[in-house]
């Protein structure tokens, strides 16, 4: 009876404070002191996501956040999330009602809330952390000492009840079957120490960080929903939300929490965790919309869960994993974070909780819809640490700062000019849709993507942006309403780009490409055998800000090729040159494709829309011994008349070292000229003391003219 009286009095005391405009109304637009804040967000879009979420999941009559779905239950996690969201949206009326649910159903006076209503007993630690942090922020938002005192009381209760004597983080005050990595809140712990002055929180933070990193997979950076205390390996517990062991809905929140800790405090353990994630995430998924909604643990590794229930894009996973890139510097991470923001903006909540996801009520359910709002608030600078606001910098959002299409430096070459090419390949073209669905590209469709730089070298380049793909329905397909974006560049071997060449006859076994790329760029093998447009086998190229050389194995593997893999019996799907999963029209196998290869194409590919750029420096097709196959044997273009491929003078010795072609044993002052296979002058020099050296711009086969005679050399 005493406890009931105390709880009731607590609610009255907090509710007694009148609602008034906060000191930090939305949007706060405050740049985090660490990491990358999305400074190009459209804040009205963030607000509309909040309004849709509130309409669907908040019950103003009783203060509940409906969770998981329907209208019959709520959980402490949802109540704590509601407290966080309402603080940063400056909605004190909502905050009071939601917090009233917390205090009315507390495990103990001033303590954590029973994890489920109706019926749950004992607290959930992650909810305890978030509610305490929300109270600290509320004290600053609405200048309320009562909220701050309530926060201190709850924080002290947590320190006593939610941890073991060795500082191990319990999942709730009444049980401990293992560590839930997504409960590790390193930034919260630093804040709690500052608010209470209790140095125990430093020990808690150190122990939690150590356990979190021990549970992290070193290859992918992923963690399981639940981790065994002894082995730090994935395990099932009675509270698991999935019957499978792996990186699922609970674990997906972990990079968000570590990003949060890094944003606010520059926490080094949080950055270490996120760096490991990013090392795998960017090359494996290419963009946030490439993140799957679950990765299963096989007993030794995490693999994509390709079950029907998991093959979709969701805020929970795309946003959770994408958040890791906010802690990492570099263009690649910034581009991925931009794709994360774009994916979150494109995903919306159901209109109402009842029958969410069914029929006329499409959208995301409670868990992803709620995380969507929290993720957007944090990454856009609208979830600052109000307790230490002097560490944050005000900014004005500028949508023009978002990654977008850029102009290309150099002189654009004429289309289909046989005297200009990259590594001896001349037939290039740019293409993009003209459907008015958000596609923008440089160069324009139908023009050449070849550009001559100031040093005379030629590169194939493009900067592209596409809008999101439409959602497929049979009705839309039948009505012809589906408009798919496309943008890319293609290189054809022959003047008639509908015809291919036989790689088997030419002995071509692999292709070596030197390029740099940002965003989701997919290289595909153009051929005569693929019947569905866009159904060619392809592979996402490595993202790199510097030129990188990659060799792709063209050994047939099912409907494609080995690519970057070396084992067709148990390949890494991300390393194969493979068909897309929607291709169903009896696709040809790789062996058949090799008999009629038309060329290559590179295009930006992102289901939620995205930006991509590429610059190709060299392309070489190799035989079984790794030697470069003469491009003229592939294209059929012969060296122009006036230049004859005959042996050089016996006295001249031509050699190659790196990108340099050296000529020795010639007369002083002798002219030395280097041509590409189209007869275009690449470089020239004069012999000094019988020697000359010329540097060529790209790898490939060249003709060296000395005294009117030619030698063919291969710069590898």
């Amino acid at each position: 009876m005493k406890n009931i009286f105390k709880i009731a009095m607590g609610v009255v005391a907090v509710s007694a404070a009148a609602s008034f405009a906060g000191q930090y109304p939305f949007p706060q637009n405050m740049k985090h002191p660490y990491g990358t804040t999305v400074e190009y967000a459209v804040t009205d879009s963030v607000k509309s996501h909040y309004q849709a979420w509130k309409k669907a999941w908040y019950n103003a009559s009783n203060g509940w956040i409906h969770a998981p779905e329907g209208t019959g239950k709520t959980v402490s996690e949802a109540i704590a999330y509601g407290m966080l969201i309402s603080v940063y949206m400056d909605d004190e009326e909502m905050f009071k009602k939601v917090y009233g649910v917390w205090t009315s159903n507390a495990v103990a006076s001033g303590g954590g809330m029973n994890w489920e209503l109706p019926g749950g007993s004992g607290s959930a630690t992650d909810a305890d952390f978030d509610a305490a942090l929300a109270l600290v922020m509320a004290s600053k938002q609405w200048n309320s000492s009562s909220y701050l005192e309530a926060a201190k009381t709850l924080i002290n209760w947590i320190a006593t009840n939610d941890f073991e004597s060795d500082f191990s983080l319990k999942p709730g005050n009444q049980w401990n079957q293992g560590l839930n990595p997504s409960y590790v809140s390193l930034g919260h712990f630093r804040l709690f120490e500052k608010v209470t002055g209790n140095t125990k929180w430093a020990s808690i933070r150190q122990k939690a960080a150590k356990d979190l990193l021990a549970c992290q997979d070193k290859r992918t950076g992923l963690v399981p929903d639940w981790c065994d205390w002894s082995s730090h390996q994935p395990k099932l517990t009675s509270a698991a939300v999935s019957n499978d062991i792996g990186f699922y809905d609970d674990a997906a929140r972990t990079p968000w929490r570590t990003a949060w800790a890094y944003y606010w405090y520059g926490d080094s353990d949080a950055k270490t965790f996120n760096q490991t994630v990013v090392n795998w995430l960017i090359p494996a998924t290419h963009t946030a919309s490439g993140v799957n909604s679950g990765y299963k643990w096989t007993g030794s590794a995490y693999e994509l869960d390709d079950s029907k229930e998991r093959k979709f894009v969701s805020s929970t996973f795309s946003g959770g994993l994408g958040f890791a890139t906010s802690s990492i510097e570099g263009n690649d991470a910034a581009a991925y974070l931009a794709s994360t923001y774009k994916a979150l903006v494109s995903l919306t909540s159901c209109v109402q909780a009842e029958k969410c996801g069914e029929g006329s009520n499409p959208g995301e359910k409670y868990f992803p819809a709620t995380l969507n709002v929290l993720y957007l608030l944090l990454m856009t600078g609208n979830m600052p640490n109000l307790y230490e606001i002097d560490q944050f910098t005000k900014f004005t959002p500028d949508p023009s700062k978002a990654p977008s299409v850029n102009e290309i430096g150099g002189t654009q070459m004429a289309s289909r000019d046989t005297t200009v090419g990259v590594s001896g390949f001349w037939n290039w073209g740019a293409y993009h849709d003209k459907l008015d669905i958000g596609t923008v590209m440089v160069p324009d469709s139908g023009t050449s993507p070849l550009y001559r730089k100031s040093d005379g070298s030629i590169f194939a380049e493009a900067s592209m942006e596409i809008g999101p793909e439409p959602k497929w329905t049979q009705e839309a397909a039948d009505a012809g309403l589906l408009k798919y974006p496309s943008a890319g560049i293609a290189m054809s071997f022959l003047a008639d780009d509908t015809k291919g060449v036989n790689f088997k006859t030419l002995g071509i076994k692999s292709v070596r490409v030197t390029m740099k790329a940002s965003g989701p760029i997919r290289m595909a093998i153009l051929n005569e055998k693929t019947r569905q447009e866009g159904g060619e086998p392809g592979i996402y190229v490595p993202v790199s800000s510097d030129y990188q050389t990659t060799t792709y194995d063209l050994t047939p593997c099912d409907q494609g090729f080995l690519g970057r893999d070396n084992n067709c019996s148990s390949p890494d799907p991300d390393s194969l040159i493979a068909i897309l999963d929607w291709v169903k029209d009896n696709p040809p196998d790789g062996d058949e494709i090799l008999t009629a290869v038309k060329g290559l194409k590179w295009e930006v590919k992102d289901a939620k829309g995205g930006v991509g750029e590429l610059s190709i420096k060299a392309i070489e097709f190799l035989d079984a011994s790794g030697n470069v196959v003469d491009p003229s044997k592939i294209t059929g273009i012969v060296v122009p008349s006036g230049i004859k491929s005959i042996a050089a003078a016996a006295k001249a010795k031509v050699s190659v070292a790196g990108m340099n072609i050296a000529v020795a044993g010639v007369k002083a002052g002798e002219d030395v000229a280097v041509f590409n296979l189209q007869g275009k002058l690449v470089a020239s020099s004069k012999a000094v003391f019988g020697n000359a050296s010329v540097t060529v711009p790209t790898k490939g086969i060249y003709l060296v003219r000395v005294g009117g005679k030619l030698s063919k050399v291969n710069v590898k």
Side-chain angles (χ1 to χ4, degrees):
M1 194 70 177
K2 287 183 178 180
N3 285 341
I4 294 175
F5 177 75
K6 288 180 180 178
I7 292 169
M9 289 300 292
V11 175
V12 170
V14 173
S15 300
S19 297
F20 57 90
Q23 298 187 88
Y24 306 98
F26 177 85
Q28 291 87 35
N29 294 330
M30 303 292 283
K31 185 177 180 179
H32 298 290
Y34 302 92
T36 303
T37 305
V38 174
E39 298 181 58
Y40 44 80
V42 178
T43 52
D44 283 348
S45 178
V46 179
K47 186 175 182 179
S48 69
H49 278 241
Y50 160 69
Q51 291 170 334
W53 170 84
K54 181 178 179 181
K55 180 180 178 181
W57 304 106
Y58 171 59
N59 186 336
S61 65
N62 61 8
W64 282 23
I65 307 297
H66 297 303
E69 274 74 53
T71 57
K73 288 181 178 292
T74 192
V75 291
S76 60
E77 165 201 273
I79 296 302
Y81 286 163
M83 291 168 65
L84 282 170
I85 292 171
S86 55
V87 164
Y88 287 104
M89 295 307 300
D90 189 20
D91 190 341
E92 191 179 11
E93 181 180 356
M94 176 182 171
F95 182 88
K96 286 180 177 181
K97 289 186 176 180
V98 175
Y99 180 46
V101 176
W102 184 278
T103 55
S104 299
N105 296 278
V107 173
S109 177
M113 173 184 161
N114 285 309
W115 75 275
E116 184 180 50
L117 297 179
S121 177
S123 73
T125 303
D126 64 326
D128 296 344
F129 293 159
D130 289 338
L133 185 142
L135 283 166
V136 175
M137 299 304 117
S139 73
K140 295 297 182 180
Q141 177 69 284
W142 298 301
N143 196 26
S144 168
S145 60
S146 61
Y147 285 143
L148 184 59
E149 290 307 309
K152 291 179 179 179
T153 300
L154 178 54
I155 292 169
N156 290 333
W157 184 91
I158 293 169
T160 301
N161 292 274
D162 286 346
F163 297 91
E164 301 287 8
S165 59
D166 67 349
F167 306 119
S168 296
L169 194 164
K170 295 158 59 178
N173 75 307
Q174 295 183 4
W175 71 296
N176 186 9
Q177 292 184 12
L179 173 69
N180 188 314
S182 73
Y183 288 13
V184 175
S185 305
L186 303 179
H188 292 52
F189 304 158
R190 289 183 182 274
L191 175 70
F192 295 167
E193 181 179 5
K194 291 175 182 290
V195 170
T196 64
N198 186 351
T199 57
K200 178 180 180 180
W201 284 105
S203 299
I204 287 172
R205 196 210 68 80
Q206 292 169 6
K207 179 67 164 63
K210 181 179 179 181
D211 288 327
L212 175 64
L213 294 174
C215 290
Q216 186 178 33
D217 179 58
K218 298 304 180 283
R219 181 181 71 86
T220 63
L222 302 181
V223 290
D225 285 353
W226 294 91
C227 182
D228 184 77
W229 280 117
S230 299
S231 67
H232 289 102
Q233 293 296 299
K235 68 173 293 184
L236 279 180
T237 71
S238 59
V241 297
S242 170
N243 290 324
D244 299 315
I245 300 177
F247 182 86
Y248 290 108
D249 295 78
D250 264 10
R253 302 174 295 180
T254 313
W256 162 56
R257 290 196 179 275
T258 46
W260 194 348
Y262 188 72
Y263 265 155
W264 282 17
Y265 293 107
D267 189 284
S268 60
D269 291 312
K271 184 173 184 178
T272 297
F273 180 90
N274 283 350
Q275 181 68 72
T276 306
V277 173
V278 170
N279 291 345
W280 164 82
L281 180 69
I282 295 178
T285 64
H286 319 293
T287 176
S289 60
V291 173
N292 194 56
S293 290
Y295 294 84
K296 60 186 177 183
W297 174 252
T298 65
S300 59
Y302 286 93
E303 294 182 0
L304 184 144
D305 186 337
D306 59 359
S307 61
K308 183 179 179 181
E309 295 77 14
R310 290 289 175 179
K311 290 279 285 183
F312 65 96
V313 177
S314 73
S315 293
T316 303
F317 291 86
S318 292
L321 277 171
F323 243 118
T325 59
S326 70
S327 303
I328 310 304
E329 297 177 354
N331 294 334
D332 301 345
Y336 199 102
L337 183 63
S339 78
T340 304
Y341 168 72
K342 182 169 287 191
L344 290 172
V345 169
S346 72
L347 295 163
T348 55
S349 171
C350 288
V351 174
Q352 60 185 32
E354 193 68 31
K355 296 183 178 180
C356 177
E358 300 179 17
S360 60
N361 188 20
E364 294 199 308
K365 297 183 178 181
Y366 148 73
F367 195 65
T370 305
L371 290 175
N372 178 283
V373 177
L374 289 166
Y375 290 171
L376 283 173
L377 286 171
L378 183 62
M379 72 168 47
T380 62
N382 289 296
M383 204 166 171
N385 181 353
L386 304 181
Y387 192 77
E388 300 169 280
I389 197 65
D390 60 328
Q391 301 299 309
F392 293 71
T393 307
K394 188 78 174 176
F395 69 91
T396 301
D398 182 359
S400 69
K401 290 183 178 181
S404 59
V405 172
N406 295 308
E407 293 299 319
I408 297 173
T411 303
Q412 186 180 15
M413 298 291 96
S415 181
R416 299 171 69 86
D417 181 350
T418 59
T419 68
V420 179
V422 173
S423 302
F425 298 99
W426 61 274
N427 193 4
W428 293 80
Y431 63 90
H432 63 78
D433 70 74
K434 302 275 189 176
L435 301 174
D436 195 27
I437 54 175
T439 301
V440 183
M441 180 177 177
V442 174
D444 196 12
S445 183
T447 67
S448 172
L450 299 184
Y451 289 81
R452 185 189 300 280
K453 304 303 179 179
S454 58
D455 62 358
S457 56
I458 303 293
F459 292 79
E461 299 187 335
S463 180
M464 306 159 281
E465 181 174 9
I466 60 170
E469 294 180 355
K471 184 175 182 180
W472 190 93
T473 65
Q474 189 62 58
E475 294 78 9
D478 293 342
L481 298 177
L482 299 178
K483 297 181 179 180
Y484 288 91
S486 64
I489 64 175
M491 180 270 287
S492 299
F493 297 137
L494 305 178
D496 181 355
D497 52 22
T498 66
K499 300 297 183 183
V501 298
N502 193 323
F503 272 22
K504 299 173 81 173
T505 301
L506 293 168
I508 294 174
K509 299 296 184 181
S510 60
V511 57
R512 185 166 61 200
V513 183
T514 301
M515 67 180 297
K516 61 181 179 180
S518 65
I521 303 295
R522 183 175 185 264
M523 180 182 77
I525 311 293
L526 298 170
N527 65 91
E528 293 183 50
K529 303 298 181 179
T530 299
R531 284 164 284 276
Q532 283 182 274
E533 184 178 354
E536 304 90 356
I539 186 171
Y540 283 93
V541 304
V543 172
S544 173
S545 56
D546 296 317
Y547 288 99
Q548 178 177 323
T549 299
T550 305
T551 300
Y552 301 93
D553 190 334
L554 297 180
T555 300
C557 182
D558 297 327
Q559 281 82 38
F561 309 94
L562 280 177
R564 295 191 298 264
D565 212 312
N566 57 14
N567 186 353
C568 190
S569 59
S570 57
D572 175 2
D574 295 322
S575 296
L576 292 178
I577 298 177
I579 60 174
L580 297 168
D581 56 14
W582 56 262
V583 180
K584 299 180 177 65
D585 187 18
N586 191 25
D589 60 32
D591 196 61
E592 185 181 1
I593 289 172
L594 286 178
T595 65
V597 181
K598 297 192 297 184
L600 302 174
K601 71 174 180 179
W602 293 260
E603 59 186 354
V604 61
K605 206 76 174 175
D606 190 339
K608 296 300 180 184
V611 176
E613 293 189 335
L614 61 91
S615 176
I616 300 172
K617 188 176 185 179
I619 304 172
E620 299 162 300
F621 293 90
L622 312 177
D623 62 20
S625 299
N627 296 317
V628 177
V629 175
D630 189 332
S632 64
K633 293 182 179 179
I634 303 172
T635 65
I637 296 293
V638 297
V639 179
S641 59
I643 298 180
K644 305 294 184 182
S645 293
I646 58 177
K651 290 184 179 180
K653 181 181 178 181
V654 181
S655 61
V656 177
M659 302 301 290
N660 292 316
I661 299 174
V663 180
V666 296
K667 294 179 181 179
E670 186 86 70
D671 288 325
V672 176
V674 178
F675 300 86
N676 62 23
L677 291 180
Q678 283 72 49
K680 201 79 170 180
L681 180 65
V682 173
S684 63
S685 180
K686 284 186 179 291
V688 179
F689 300 114
N691 301 306
S693 179
V694 186
T695 301
V696 294
T698 63
K699 296 178 181 179
I701 298 175
Y702 294 91
L703 300 174
V704 182
R705 185 174 65 189
V706 181
K709 295 186 178 182
L710 291 165
S711 289
K712 185 184 290 186
V713 297
N714 190 352
V715 179
K716 296 182 179 180

